[in-house]
């Protein structure tokens, strides 16, 4: 049992372990309507991070005493398969999964027109098949597409990405190893049309200036994600549906 | 406590059941298949790099992901020379409106236990080769099955995906003294590939691989698992209802025929079978 | 810690460890109406296997959203006492008990006229006091009697027994040790009047021919069990009630 | 969270309570017993061969099965020279429509803890004789109580069945070095036999061993456990309601009288007491 | 790992470890209305034993099928913080906490006019911040004050205290160490106006005579507790409200 | 599964939200505070003698009790030279009608995890000094937070009480060979005191330390945690709703200003900060 040595994450040329520059996103693949039985679904792959999302509803809230008279309730579960991580994840929900379910739900609530479906429920399930950093943001990206695919009315889509700080540099889209050995990880969910933040967490240490630069870098990444989301919807539904 | 799940009202089921039965009498199915015809099967292995083994298998729209994580552990005290495996199955709420979040219910537990029996009784794995130090250190295989999309019959693709994940599973090599042999890996030693076929029964008629609409309308159904020599290694009547004794012979024969077709495809994709 | 050696289960004269021939049932004792407070009950003893069953209902389904408009729901719990097995069983339901609750419930549903009690619930409890092989089949045998004792209308009774394969021979009613060291165990529940199978599992390896012979042997055992069930009802209710 | 269980409406209980009280004033009970009279008690031991000890005890229709499994384990760190026991109780749903499946609720937990206190504080077991290697290896006794049929008063037969199972419990012998002495067994060393009597109270009247109908109509009730020298070793007021201070003297005296009768029967059946 | 030696708990002059005589109570502090958001609350400190109680209700019973047509249900939870005891208590409810919740609830039910609030629920929460003996009786003392503070109609208050037997002497208000090494512990809850017992448990060994003397000593302690309860209510509400 | 908690009907919330916004425009609050003003803060340490450290902190009527119990344990395998701590939080049902008995729900878990991140990422504890024998024996700190009374904003007083309990926590001294040094204690080695400020947002306006009525009427809210050098060490947007990018600069600046005030008070009461 020896203390793990932190690897060098960015070389002298500013190149990251996987060959990216600090502001590069990993290869991104987005698809909608990937699961047959749900009302809406999406798949997001960001490097080795692989996430499904599915939506059921609007449907009758159940049990009934949880129903809200003037709008729908939104349920959300972020869950990881046991083999998605380096160490096997225990079965059942960890505290981390419960917290992330909450922040993803709150982000989605910010854009869904819940008032249109009083006394109803909308269920959102995010399933992380492989976790290599950025699973909550990939999950939120997928979940907002699954809602769109289910025809749930929304103010706009949500695009999400993480920024981080490793070896003193602010980077876009940290991988698992960069998250683990880096100095900070900051996942951000954005409603791009209104230019507002719907999910924001920070775990690590940044100066105020680094924090500002992190926010700016996130906006760059968000634009790329948002573009890919729109393309995925266009492939499925044609040009018109990108105006959700 | 086991309880009856809420289904459609009986009369709508009865109408659909009648329709399916009439089609079967004409050798037809509601989705254009013939009675003894599986939906399209696809198999992909190594789909999750962080797992030691993994496979994604579809039968029609039903989609199953199995991943295997290998750890080191101690053997059971009455089997000191054998590695250990355990099977878990989760019917993800992603996959169907009838699946709830939470710990596996009786359906998930039944699925896991039936797959476990197929592997165990079908002697699929040479467990003695997964022993590192007798009585002290063995490989422990966690075989975890996730139903991602559910359009009927999760048993057969689950057995396929578990076997495909096992057959392609790579594990770090350890020496007989329990040291990691750096850079070297071994494969899970496969002795046999048990595979299953699920049959639906309506009155005196059989069909294979029921889709969801059929599943809800069947009188009953049965899962039959055979090894490569066509020995019966597991059976599970997995829903309420009667099977006439007189149908059992056909059931076994139809299962054998179907499994041999699946086995050919499995061999082609996975390399063994 | 030494590897356990499999004992010889059948001797050269075809005699089993407990003195039975391959097609013999263990001593069988069946009683109905053994518990005061339930609506119906039964006790089945098969060698050292000892099982109670009790039925409550039909009664209001609870919670209400589980009620079904056009028939009763049937709840079933198969449970073992902690001291019923060689190794102490943990408290609470094991995965095995949950699976067996399901297959017993499904067998019972096959014969109960559930449509006669819309929106109701019928609870069946099987309690294994001692487990020496064949507990699910003894439990199903007892449960069908407890339903009859409770006056629940049924198409017919269910009789159940296991067959097995040990030392290459197909045997009736395997004991615990025969199950543990044998090659296969196949519990079968039968509706004897209609000659149909309502429970069937197989755990082990049989050739197709052995499987056929196992089914035939089970039918022989079933007739004996069914006979004993009818006698137990006759003792309690007189001759007429055996036509349930 | 402890909550009030749903009972009959108050007014039906009040009517029955009034009736029981009037009968008590005449020295009578609804089931023909006198106020200080237990229902018929039967005790059978060694009813489950796979348990180390077991006993089935009935008081009227109330039926309790206790089984004991003995394992090896480590002692508590502050009691290195003593064996360990733990008591669990399950109110099986088999036994009453008011018992639910699932982990023990507050009633089952209360029952287990009261029986535990009777055994522990009554010094029923010579725990030091259950130590094999001080600080390292002791016998661990799991005393598991199951209520099979419930017609009121599960406390008294539970104490009886636990004590009867203990008194007839046979455990494998181990040498002082922790080796199994093949073929030899020992008995659980019994030091005393604490027994309990449950009393019901309506206004100023007492009754013993309430049946279910009485139990629901009492003002309150109390379990008194005495050792063989009539020391009080456990008391539990086990339902809502008031006990006038003035009744406490009678309560103890009635309990003592009843327990001495039960003790005589226990001695006859079990051999000690 | 050595066997713990029982300390001498009462010296030759009849003085206890903390300087008290056998019939002395520890320093007692009682306050009502200590928590802002509950409908009623109280704080009881008895030596190092520190307990809060809070009451919510009467309110709608929930879930509805638990409601009782002709009176309120009373819910009670006795809970200890993880750091209240010498050894850290596990999170979640222990079996001991579940039992004590039951006996406290039953004691409170004896004095609350539940019939005045049909189909309602009243929640009582007892939180043990530090446990140094007598927590259930301190909790019951606090809970009855919290009910009074919430304006719930009661026949009368409940005052509760424990007596014990240590080194052969019957003592009032045992501390944790006296409970641990003593011969018996007997918590008693009393409705002082009607002179009746509403909670009674005994854990330990007493002769019948010691038991009688214990009961008598408890009555002495109860009077002191009851006096302090009335004073606490008077401080908060003025003289009139002591007649609850 | 995370779900939307039942709140007041939207229109009553909208009216209150409108009212709060109008007051904010005039630099006012519903409880007479100015927008950037915390309620009265009180801090008491060593309130539970049986805990190794404890602190009771109030912000207005919101009251948080944190206690710390220290045990010995083994380090994480990838951090053999560091002590271990874990944070738990319970929203006691005592504290609010919206808190239910039972295991922590998502709000309790979020609170615990945010406090954990403040301590961990703020490098509050010199964990290496909590190692006794590398790889084998370390101090394990259980930091348990209880919300006793809840009138909005449990995050900031929870961070304060956890830090105050840590800063005053006394633990038994062990020698480098793992022996207890009788009679000697050590303090938890504090490296920094991270503190948080919670900000509420309504449209383009900010307020700090929302009380319960405000909390329910905000568009959204955010917790910002800074170390003593004003580095950002944790952020949590902890409710639904939008934050305009343009507000982020003000949010950080307001948080910094507030935290420096709290830090001054913390230093005064606790001695460090």
């Amino acid at each position: 049992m020896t203390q793990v040595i932190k690897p060098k994450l960015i070389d002298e040329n500013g190149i990251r372990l996987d060959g990216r520059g600090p502001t590069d996103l990993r290869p991104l693949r987005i698809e909608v309507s990937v699961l047959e039985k749900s009302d809406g679904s999406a798949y997001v792959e960001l490097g080795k991070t692989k996430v499904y999302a599915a939506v059921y509803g609007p449907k009758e809230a159940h049990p009934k005493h949880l129903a809200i008279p003037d709008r729908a309730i939104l349920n959300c579960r972020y869950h990881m398969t046991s083999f998605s991580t380096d160490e096997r994840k225990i079965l059942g929900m960890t505290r981390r999964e419960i917290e992330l379910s909450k922040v993803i739900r709150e982000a989605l609530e910010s854009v869904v027109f819940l008032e249109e479906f009083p006394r109803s429920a909308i269920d959102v399930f995010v399933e992380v098949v492989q976790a290599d950093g950025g699973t909550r943001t990939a999950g939120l990206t997928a979940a907002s597409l699954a809602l769109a695919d289910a025809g749930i009315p929304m103010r706009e889509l949500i695009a999400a990405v993480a920024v981080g700080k490793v070896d003193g540099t602010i980077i876009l889209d940290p991988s698992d190893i960069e998250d683990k050995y880096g100095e900070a990880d900051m996942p951000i969910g954005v409603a791009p049309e209104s230019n507002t933040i719907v999910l924001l967490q920070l775990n690590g240490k940044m100066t105020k200036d680094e924090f500002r630069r992190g926010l700016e870098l996130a906006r760059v990444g968000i634009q790329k994600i948002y573009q890919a989301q729109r393309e995925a919807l266009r492939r499925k539904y044609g040009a018109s549906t990108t105006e959700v | 406590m086991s309880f009856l799940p809420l289904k459609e009202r009986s009369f709508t089921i009865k109408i659909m059941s009648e329709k399916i039965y009439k089609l079967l009498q004409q050798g037809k199915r509601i989705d254009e298949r013939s009675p003894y015809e599986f939906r399209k099967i696809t198999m992909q292995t190594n789909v999750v790099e962080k797992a030691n083994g993994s496979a994604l298998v579809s039968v029609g729209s039903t989609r199953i992901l199995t991943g295997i994580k290998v750890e080191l552990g101690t053997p059971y005290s009455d089997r000191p020379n054998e590695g250990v495996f355990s099977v878990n199955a989760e019917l993800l709420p992603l996959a169907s409106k009838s699946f709830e979040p939470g710990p596996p219910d009786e359906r998930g537990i039944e699925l896991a236990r039936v797959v476990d029996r197929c592997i165990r009784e079908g002697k699929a794995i040479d467990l003695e080769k997964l022993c590192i130090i007798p009585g002290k250190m063995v490989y422990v295989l966690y075989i975890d099955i996730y139903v991602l999309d559910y359009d009927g019959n999760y048993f057969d693709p689950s057995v396929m995906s578990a076997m495909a994940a096992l057959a392609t599973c790579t594990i770090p090599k350890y020496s007989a003294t329990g040291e990691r042999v750096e850079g070297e890996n071994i494969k899970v030693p496969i002795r046999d590939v048990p595979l299953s076929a699920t049959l639906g029964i309506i009155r005196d008629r059989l069909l294979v691989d029921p889709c969801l609409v059929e599943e809800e309308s069947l009188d009953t159904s049965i899962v039959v698992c055979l090894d490569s020599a066509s020995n019966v290694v597991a059976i599970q009547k997995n829903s309420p209802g009667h099977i006439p004794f007189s149908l059992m012979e056909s059931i076994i024969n139809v299962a054998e025929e179907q499994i041999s077709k699946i086995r050919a495809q499995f061999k082609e994709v996975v390399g063994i079978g």
Side-chain angles (χ1 to χ4, degrees), chain A, chain B:
Chain A
M1 196 162 43
T2 47
Q3 191 139 16
V4 177
I5 310 296
K6 178 192 154 309
K8 191 157 173 52
L9 298 167
I10 301 194
D11 73 12
E12 53 280 8
N13 302 314
I15 300 304
R16 293 152 74 177
L17 287 179
D18 55 7
R20 285 186 286 162
T23 64
D24 292 343
L25 217 54
R26 288 173 288 178
L28 175 64
R29 185 181 140 205
I30 298 186
E31 282 177 63
V32 295
S33 283
V34 292
L35 300 171
E36 179 87 2
K37 287 293 165 181
S38 53
D39 294 319
S41 60
Y43 175 75
V44 170
E45 203 176 282
L46 192 59
K48 286 199 278 189
T49 290
K50 301 175 183 183
V51 180
Y52 284 90
V55 166
Y56 287 87
K59 54 179 192 177
E60 210 184 338
H62 165 81
K64 282 208 172 109
H65 68 265
L66 290 182
I68 302 181
D70 59 2
R71 56 184 163 147
I73 60 167
L74 186 74
N75 301 306
C76 179
R77 185 175 100 135
Y78 164 98
H79 181 257
M80 306 171 92
T81 64
S82 60
F83 43 78
S84 61
T85 46
D86 289 328
E87 297 286 305
R88 180 171 186 254
K89 200 211 70 151
I90 55 157
L91 303 173
M93 294 286 278
T94 60
R95 286 159 50 108
R96 180 180 170 279
E97 285 168 299
I98 292 171
E99 183 199 350
L100 298 201
S101 295
K102 177 178 187 285
V103 296
I104 292 172
R105 171 180 67 78
E106 292 176 343
L108 295 172
E109 278 181 43
S110 310
V111 296
V112 175
F113 287 111
L114 294 169
E115 322 78 54
E116 295 198 9
F117 306 100
R119 303 196 168 279
S120 306
I122 297 166
D123 290 346
V124 178
F125 300 107
V126 172
E127 190 68 30
V128 178
V129 162
Q130 187 158 257
D132 194 38
T135 58
R136 87 193 70 181
T137 43
L140 178 54
T141 300
S144 99
L145 285 170
L147 283 162
D149 184 42
I152 310 273
M154 292 191 286
R155 280 177 193 82
E156 54 178 307
L157 284 179
I158 293 172
V161 79
V163 293
K165 177 183 170 191
V166 300
D167 292 350
T169 303
I170 301 300
I171 59 164
L172 184 65
D173 183 25
S175 67
D176 197 29
I177 197 170
E178 290 173 331
D179 183 6
K180 190 171 176 195
Y181 294 105
E183 293 104 76
D185 178 44
M186 180 163 68
I188 307 179
V190 171
E193 298 296 333
S194 59
N195 201 23
T196 56
I197 296 167
V198 292
L199 179 149
L200 181 60
Q201 298 181 285
L202 185 146
N203 189 12
K205 194 178 279 197
M206 284 186 179
T207 65
K208 289 203 296 175
D209 182 58
E210 286 164 345
F211 173 71
R212 276 179 211 112
R213 285 191 284 131
L215 281 181
E216 281 315 303
L217 182 53
R219 292 168 85 153
V220 175
I222 291 293
Q223 285 309 320
K224 291 180 187 165
I225 307 268
Y226 185 43
Q227 189 58 31
Q229 285 177 301
R230 292 165 60 144
E231 275 162 28
L233 285 172
R234 197 177 301 125
R235 277 197 308 278
K236 175 75 191 175
Y237 293 104
S240 65
T241 50
T242 58
E243 341 278 284
V244 273
Chain B
M1 187 129 102
S2 176
F3 64 88
L4 189 72
L6 185 57
K7 283 190 187 175
E8 292 300 311
R9 288 187 174 233
S10 310
F11 74 87
T12 54
I13 289 178
K14 273 180 192 149
I15 292 166
M16 180 53 81
S17 180
E18 193 58 35
K19 182 177 166 186
I20 293 170
Y21 183 72
K22 287 209 172 123
L23 284 168
L24 283 176
Q25 287 179 307
Q26 305 162 34
K28 292 184 184 165
R29 303 272 285 271
I30 52 168
D31 56 2
E32 313 283 303
R33 286 186 283 163
S34 69
Y36 304 161
E37 183 185 347
F38 264 68
R39 288 168 291 178
K40 186 174 177 235
I41 298 172
T42 66
M43 304 180 196
Q44 264 182 282
T45 57
N46 295 314
V47 293
V48 180
E49 295 87 343
K50 295 202 175 193
N52 296 88
S54 61
L56 183 65
V57 172
S58 297
V59 173
S61 294
T62 293
R63 197 185 307 188
I64 310 285
L65 175 65
T66 297
I68 300 172
K69 280 287 202 184
V70 180
E71 297 182 359
L72 299 178
T74 49
Y76 293 119
S77 63
D78 57 346
R79 310 224 167 220
N81 302 315
E82 297 185 5
V84 168
F85 71 91
S86 83
V87 179
N88 185 70
E90 297 204 17
L91 310 182
L92 293 173
L94 202 78
S96 167
K97 66 174 188 289
S98 76
F99 298 165
E100 300 277 345
D105 68 2
E106 61 176 34
R107 294 174 296 177
I109 287 169
E110 182 188 41
L111 173 57
R113 287 177 54 85
V114 169
V115 174
D116 185 292
R117 294 203 283 265
C118 291
I119 297 172
R120 203 173 297 279
E121 303 297 339
K123 316 268 187 243
I125 309 172
D126 189 346
L127 290 173
E128 298 209 349
K129 294 216 177 107
L130 293 179
C131 176
I132 301 167
I133 306 173
K136 298 219 168 130
M137 190 195 258
V138 299
Y139 291 107
V140 180
L141 276 55
Y142 293 98
I143 303 169
D144 293 323
I145 298 168
Y146 292 89
V147 181
L148 288 178
D149 207 355
Y150 172 54
D151 188 24
N153 186 18
Y154 46 59
F155 283 92
D156 303 339
S158 291
V159 176
M160 285 180 232
S161 73
M163 285 312 307
L166 276 171
T168 55
C169 186
T170 301
I171 50 186
K173 184 171 179 177
Y174 281 79
S175 72
T177 55
E179 305 290 307
R180 171 84 175 92
V181 184
E182 281 305 327
E184 287 191 44
N185 292 313
I186 61 167
K187 291 301 223 173
V188 169
I190 302 295
R191 273 211 306 223
D192 201 334
V193 177
L195 292 168
S196 74
T198 297
L199 284 81
I201 295 142
I202 302 190
R203 293 187 234 169
D204 57 339
R205 297 278 165 173
L206 303 177
L207 57 80
V208 303
D209 176 33
C211 68
L212 188 56
V213 171
E214 289 171 336
E215 211 169 79
E216 289 170 351
S217 309
L218 295 172
D219 287 351
T220 188
S221 57
I222 186 168
V223 185
V224 177
C225 185
L226 306 180
D227 67 10
S228 59
S230 283
N231 292 306
V232 191
V233 298
I235 284 185
Q236 183 87 343
K237 177 171 174 291
N238 67 333
S239 62
H242 301 260
I243 306 177
F245 264 97
S246 55
L247 276 183
M248 287 309 303
E249 187 67 26
S250 310
I251 285 170
I252 294 295
N253 291 334
V254 170
E256 186 177 8
E257 185 190 48
Q258 294 301 313
I259 287 169
S260 82
K261 284 186 205 163
I262 298 170
R263 189 176 301 285
Q265 184 178 350
F266 187 95
K267 214 164 190 167
E268 199 176 314
V269 176
V270 182
I272 57 175

